[in-house]
Amino acid sequence: MEGLVNLVHEIAVAMGWLLPTACYAAAVSCLIFSLVGIYQYYHPTIQALQDKPWLPYLSLVLCGVFASFNVILTKSTASAGTDVQVTLGDAATSYSTADSLITGTGPKDAILAIVKDFALFFQMFGAWTCFFAVLTWFAIQRGRSNRERLGCGIQYVFGVMLLNPVKDATWILSFWP
């Protein structure tokens, strides 16, 4: 099990280093889209965004969202009732595995030990889920995706839930008799 934990931990560290790059790339692309859209809107000969004049300004707001994505995720986790501080590009490089899956009083303790071992991967997966939820929501606003807006909201909520996997696993296991 230790080899699997090591592999998943390294994947999570790689995800932690790639997420800021993706956030800043999305912020720059939103800024460029916003500047081009504002120019096209105020230029009388170009009719590109006449049906959605608010879209460049929304893109400008999303530029700020992507540039400060760690603050947005931290505030989202605070709204969920946790005290997780999200930092981008500062993934943990060390971890502690559970001593043994046999220690404890039953299967609940074994499941919590496994969740603690894979917590960094769950956290990074949750952050990526939130990133893609916001990105897809913007694609819906632009008319590039046929998904529902509510689905992006649900995806974002589940991504925030994954940012604190131990608390969520403890809550789910509380229903187990």
Side-chain angles (χ1 to χ4, degrees), residues 1 5 8-9 12 92 94-101 103-104 108-123 164-170 173:
M1 172 106 171
V5 171
V8 170
H9 179 76
S94 64
Y95 66 97
S96 61
T97 60
D99 296 332
S100 172
L101 294 179
T103 62
K108 289 183 185 181
D109 292 333
I111 291 172
L112 283 178
I114 291 170
V115 168
K116 286 177 186 175
D117 285 344
F118 294 104
L120 182 62
F121 179 78
F122 288 134
Q123 290 169 347
N164 196 356
V166 176
K167 181 181 178 186
D168 295 332
T170 305
L173 290 174

Side-chain angles (χ1 to χ4, degrees), residues 20-91:
T21 305
C23 285
Y24 292 133
V28 168
S29 67
C30 282
L31 180 65
I32 291 170
F33 179 83
S34 177
L35 293 176
V36 169
I38 291 171
Y39 173 76
Q40 288 177 350
Y41 182 72
Y42 288 111
H43 205 298
T45 60
I46 302 174
Q47 299 291 325
L49 294 173
Q50 294 299 324
D51 56 337
K52 297 180 182 180
W54 46 268
L55 199 54
Y57 301 106
L58 176 67
S59 178
L60 193 60
V61 170
L62 285 179
C63 173
V65 167
F66 286 126
S68 61
F69 199 62
N70 57 342
V71 176
I72 301 295
L73 287 180
T74 301
K75 290 183 185 280
S76 296
T77 58
S79 296
T82 63
D83 58 348
V84 175
Q85 296 293 320
V86 180
T87 58
L88 297 182
D90 221 6

Side-chain angles (χ1 to χ4, degrees), residues 157-172:
V157 166
F158 279 109
V160 169
M161 286 176 60
L162 281 174
L163 290 175
N164 196 356
V166 176
K167 181 181 178 186
D168 295 332
T170 305
W171 175 73
I172 291 171

